Amino acid sequence: ECVQELNSPEHHWVLVTESIDIGFSKKEKECEQVGDLWVALYNAGVLTTEQLEKGLFDIIEFLPDMEIDVPMAGKWLAIMMAKCIVAGAISIGCFSRAPTDIWQPDAPSPASYAVKIMAAVQAESDAAKLSELVASDSFDVTAMAKDGEDVAALLSAANISL
């Protein structure tokens, strides 16, 4: 209700980035609650898919730097995103549609982050739901891999089989 009262939907994406920052300053439980908040705001019609994605893409660019100070940042962001993916607020493939210029060349690959998200989706639901979401979005994590990166090994290490 407070967000609606701001009457500024063009800035709702900032709520996403700010809540990520707050979650990262806490623990995993609070990051889960951030994901729950996004889902509730989405279901209430306050946040749109586009606003969620804009806020996420704004943060993803800086995720490698954030992981220096908050080593669990990638995992925690994946947990937040997984809640939205399972609820249908964003698609599992949204990550692959992030602007390519946000990926830093010396950072972990987009595929490694995508596998973290997939693992979080599987933990939030189950393997069957993950497979369903991947298939329905025609999501191909291998397309996000750096040259020579072994995506099968990443998926295996995360106990994901599609």
Side-chain angles (χ1 to χ4, degrees):
E1 192 172 296
C2 293
V3 177
Q4 284 177 312
E5 288 176 5
L6 292 173
N7 199 25
S8 184
E10 66 275 8
H11 292 49
H12 286 181
W13 67 272
V14 177
L15 172 71
V16 176
T17 60
E18 291 299 316
S19 59
I20 291 170
D21 192 43
I22 291 168
F24 284 179
S25 70
K26 304 291 181 183
K27 300 285 183 209
E28 186 170 326
K29 180 180 178 183
E30 288 79 9
C31 290
E32 290 174 10
Q33 292 170 337
V34 167
D36 292 334
L37 172 66
W38 294 346
V39 169
L41 290 172
Y42 173 80
N43 288 336
V46 176
L47 277 178
T48 65
T49 298
E50 293 75 22
Q51 292 163 338
L52 281 163
E53 288 181 359
K54 182 170 175 42
L56 290 166
F57 295 163
D58 189 61
I59 288 292
I60 289 169
E61 179 177 4
F62 303 103
L63 192 55
D65 295 329
M66 292 175 160
E67 287 182 317
I68 293 169
D69 296 324
V70 183
M72 300 300 289
K75 177 185 177 191
W76 290 351
L77 183 61
I79 290 168
M80 294 177 208
M81 290 178 70
K83 291 190 172 277
C84 293
I85 292 166
V86 171
I90 59 175
S91 72
I92 197 158
C94 82
F95 199 67
S96 64
R97 291 185 293 277
T100 56
D101 62 340
I102 69 171
W103 302 111
Q104 299 174 14
D106 58 340
S109 76
S112 67
Y113 284 127
V115 170
K116 285 181 185 180
I117 294 166
M118 294 168 73
V121 167
Q122 185 168 278
E124 181 69 19
S125 57
D126 57 36
K129 180 69 172 179
L130 173 62
S131 293
E132 173 191 322
L133 292 167
V134 167
S136 69
D137 202 31
S138 301
F139 178 60
D140 180 14
V141 68
T142 59
M144 302 175 71
K146 289 183 177 179
D147 287 338
E149 187 171 28
D150 188 352
V151 175
L154 291 173
L155 291 168
S156 177
N159 294 316
I160 297 171
S161 62
L162 301 173

